[in-house]
Amino acid sequence: MSQLIQDKLQLLPDKPGVYLMKDVRGQVIYVGKAKVLKNRVRSYFTGTHDAKTQLLVSNIVDFEYIVTDTVVEALVLECNLIKQYNPPYNIMLRDDKTYPYIKLTNESHPKLEIVRRVHHDKAKYFGPYPNATAAQTTKKLLDRLYPLRKCKTLKKKVCLYYHIGQCLAPCELPVEPSQYQTIGKEITSFLSGGHKEVQADLQKKMEEAAEQLRFERARELRDLIQSIDKVMEEQKVTVTDRVDRDVFAFAADRGLLCVQVFYVRSGKLIERSVSIVRHYNQPEEDFMSFVEQFYFHGAKPPQEILLPDGVPDQTLAEWLHAKCLQPKRGLKRQLVDLARKNAEIALTEKLRLMERDMDRTLGAVQELGEVLAIPTPMRIEAFDNSNIQGTDPVAAMVVFIDGKPVRQEYRKYKIRTVQGPDDYESMREVVRRRYQRVLREQLPLPDLIVIDGGKGHLRAVLDVLENELDLELPVCGLAKNDRHKTSQLFFRDEDYPVELDRHSQAFYLLERIQEEVHRYAISFHRQVRSKTGLLSVLDSIPGIGPVRKKALLKHFGSVKAIREASLVDFREIGIGDHLARVILNHLQQKPPENEQTVNTNELQK
């Protein structure tokens, strides 16, 4: 479990909401709901789990969450986020693909159907439901209670549904519009909490059937009453208002402004966005500036825009031709309060993570200075070499300031003067070139130089700095063990390694620096090797320029594959038989050395 996740787990609130698990690419891999976010999210990283959950947890590198007022709101939001992100670990919910409604159509002979979108077609929509199964179960119950047509188009004669009392048979019999209006009102009442009245009526009919010794009919009515209990206990459904709204709220602290936007579409909260930016004016003014830019840059205004109290919005409504409200009470005020609550939570988390990060990075830098008995090394420059048996030797330098990488100051070096695999001389050359330039251009000197290597590398670097450049700078070397992990810290010309707690923040900082400079050197070496090892063979072929060279490598993948291709294969990329023969003759005269599969991503750079 990473330090980031450990820190964020400590900040989880005791509130209901939705959480989104993310992988190393930042993609949402799982969406879940929780009655108490703190307990539910923490449970993923403690205790034992089944194989499915273990696989999920092994891919989580970060998470975020949205606080809601109730668990029901969390459920609705969860389903909408699953639809939006289509996360791979939401297997069961993902099958429904959307969030269903029950629709009472606006037709001369209306019917009930399950739909996945709310349209402005004068029909009545009931929902949303948590999944398709719930919607289908409820519709089946309504079909048994109310005799609306079941067919998509009217049949030529009555069907079975008429004979079992579940259809009025408008295909043959006249039905008054008032009868449909009555059924529509009863369905609306039933789904809005009036099902108890229906149950009471069914109970009365069941008792009458039993008294008449119609036990089969009484059993059917009893089962229907139980079905109503089951369905209406599971589904608390209201009629949607189908209004599109953007709900804005903000929180401000310590020079940071957090703006939360809730997107309410067709009466349901489908998505949110959160932005945390630095602000310099009054929070209310900068908040409204954010809202104005939000729509200026292309966001389409909905029917309503809900804003918190006390913000100047006099011109916003006129400019956007939309209704801008600052609600004082009711559901709309609850939405604004919920957005504000989430803005406050997001900003508090950001500030506390910044504090922890500051403690970790600056604390590590200070601790490293104390361990080495030098002033706090605010600027650290680290070096590493990379080559394969002396071929294409390169080196890299990374810079850390205040314990954080500063990538715009990274540098790459091609080794110019060293022949063969000589790590010490390569390090001498790179350090000499770097600090000659620093002195010449009066660039800032580092407070500490870190070398990826042991005492031999350290002696080589100190010799260049002190005897050639007349510089006295703190230099340390990081030696690795046989598992290629940071193992020992050597400082200047001291004979013994420095004692450093492997669980200290200073050690973790050095480990991050060593891993980063190694990664940067390796990536540069691969880039150089791909050009010299693969492309140089093609560079010498007459008639092959950069465009054809890239096309050949992209199509075949390697020089070996090009050598083994037929004339027909070359025609697929627009190369004629004559030039293809020239290419094949040239490659067959060259020894097949250093051939490997080309990295097509590097070719596109």
Side-chain angles (χ1 to χ4, degrees), residues 29-30 52 55-56 58-59 86-92 94:
I29 60 175
Y30 184 78
K52 175 182 178 293
L55 181 61
L56 165 63
S58 68
N59 285 283
N86 198 25
Y89 289 95
N90 287 92
I91 303 300
M92 299 304 296
R94 190 172 48 156

Side-chain angles (χ1 to χ4, degrees), residues 382-427:
F383 297 84
D384 189 20
N385 297 327
S386 180
N387 67 80
I388 296 180
Q389 296 179 346
T391 61
D392 303 317
V394 299
M397 180 196 77
V398 300
V399 177
F400 276 61
I401 296 179
D402 296 339
K404 296 181 180 180
V406 183
R407 290 178 173 79
Q408 62 267 29
E409 295 202 34
Y410 286 13
R411 296 293 180 267
K412 303 172 183 177
Y413 299 90
K414 287 185 179 180
I415 303 302
R416 300 171 179 169
T417 62
V418 180
Q419 300 296 323
D422 192 332
D423 248 14
Y424 297 155
E425 286 303 314
S426 296
M427 189 65 72

Side-chain angles (χ1 to χ4, degrees), residues 423-491:
D423 248 14
Y424 297 155
E425 286 303 314
S426 296
M427 189 65 72
R428 290 171 64 92
E429 177 187 325
V430 172
V431 169
R432 182 185 300 113
R433 288 166 56 186
R434 166 62 183 170
Y435 294 107
Q436 282 178 340
R437 180 178 180 181
V438 167
L439 294 172
R440 183 172 62 253
E441 299 181 9
Q442 297 184 341
L443 302 175
L445 286 166
D447 301 308
L448 176 66
I449 298 173
V450 177
I451 304 300
D452 188 358
K455 296 178 69 174
H457 293 84
L458 202 53
R459 283 193 294 268
V461 170
L462 287 172
D463 179 52
V464 172
L465 292 174
E466 295 175 355
N467 299 326
E468 296 184 27
L469 304 178
D470 197 24
L471 288 174
E472 291 190 11
L473 296 173
V475 185
C476 67
L478 296 175
K480 296 179 180 178
N481 57 22
D482 54 1
R483 291 178 295 177
H484 211 65
K485 296 290 185 181
T486 305
S487 175
Q488 292 179 313
L489 170 64
F490 292 95
F491 184 63

Side-chain angles (χ1 to χ4, degrees), residues 79-80 83 92-104 112-121 124-136 139 240 242 265-266 268 270:
C79 292
N80 285 298
K83 175 185 175 183
M92 299 304 296
L93 288 175
R94 190 172 48 156
D95 292 339
D96 291 320
K97 299 299 182 186
T98 189
Y99 205 61
Y101 290 81
I102 293 177
K103 175 182 179 180
L104 178 60
L112 290 171
E113 56 185 21
I114 295 175
V115 298
R116 303 183 182 277
R117 293 185 182 275
V118 176
H119 298 285
H120 298 283
D121 52 5
K124 289 185 177 180
Y125 292 86
F126 305 94
Y129 286 82
N131 52 60
T133 301
Q136 290 165 357
K139 180 182 177 296
T240 177
R242 305 195 305 274
R265 298 295 181 265
S266 297
K268 59 185 172 114
I270 65 165

Side-chain angles (χ1 to χ4, degrees), residues 479-521:
K480 296 179 180 178
N481 57 22
D482 54 1
R483 291 178 295 177
H484 211 65
K485 296 290 185 181
T486 305
S487 175
Q488 292 179 313
L489 170 64
F490 292 95
F491 184 63
R492 292 186 62 85
D493 52 3
E494 295 179 2
D495 293 330
Y496 299 100
V498 177
E499 292 292 335
L500 183 60
D501 182 3
R502 296 182 60 85
H503 300 290
S504 66
Q505 293 297 336
F507 181 85
Y508 291 146
L509 173 61
L510 289 173
E511 197 171 42
R512 289 198 301 273
I513 292 173
Q514 188 176 34
E515 289 174 354
E516 177 67 359
V517 69
H518 182 69
R519 178 200 66 79
Y520 195 55

Side-chain angles (χ1 to χ4, degrees), residues 110-235:
K111 68 179 185 294
L112 290 171
E113 56 185 21
I114 295 175
V115 298
R116 303 183 182 277
R117 293 185 182 275
V118 176
H119 298 285
H120 298 283
D121 52 5
K122 297 184 180 181
K124 289 185 177 180
Y125 292 86
F126 305 94
Y129 286 82
N131 52 60
T133 301
Q136 290 165 357
T137 303
T138 306
K139 180 182 177 296
K140 288 179 181 178
L141 176 61
L142 295 173
D143 285 337
R144 295 170 64 186
L145 291 170
Y146 301 102
L148 297 178
R149 69 183 177 93
K150 309 298 187 289
C151 50
K152 291 184 178 180
T153 57
L154 293 180
K155 307 294 184 182
K156 293 182 179 180
K157 59 181 181 179
V158 297
C159 61
L160 176 64
Y161 286 110
Y162 170 74
H163 295 292
I164 62 177
Q166 293 187 19
C167 182
L168 296 173
C171 52
E172 286 194 22
L173 305 176
V175 182
E176 294 295 328
S178 59
Q179 194 170 359
Y180 285 133
Q181 292 175 4
T182 300
I183 291 176
K185 290 179 180 178
E186 290 180 1
I187 290 175
T188 301
S189 174
F190 180 90
L191 293 176
S192 300
H195 60 282
K196 294 295 183 183
E197 299 175 3
V198 176
Q199 281 182 303
D201 184 57
L202 292 174
Q203 181 74 23
K204 183 179 177 180
K205 291 179 179 180
M206 181 186 71
E207 293 171 356
E208 291 175 353
E211 290 175 359
Q212 298 170 8
L213 304 181
R214 298 168 58 203
F215 298 117
E216 187 174 346
R217 176 59 177 165
R219 186 169 60 250
E220 290 176 356
L221 293 170
R222 181 203 64 189
D223 293 343
L224 191 56
I225 292 170
Q226 293 175 350
S227 296
I228 294 174
D229 273 333
K230 185 175 185 297
V231 170
M232 297 312 293
E233 180 182 359
E234 293 176 353
Q235 312 304 329

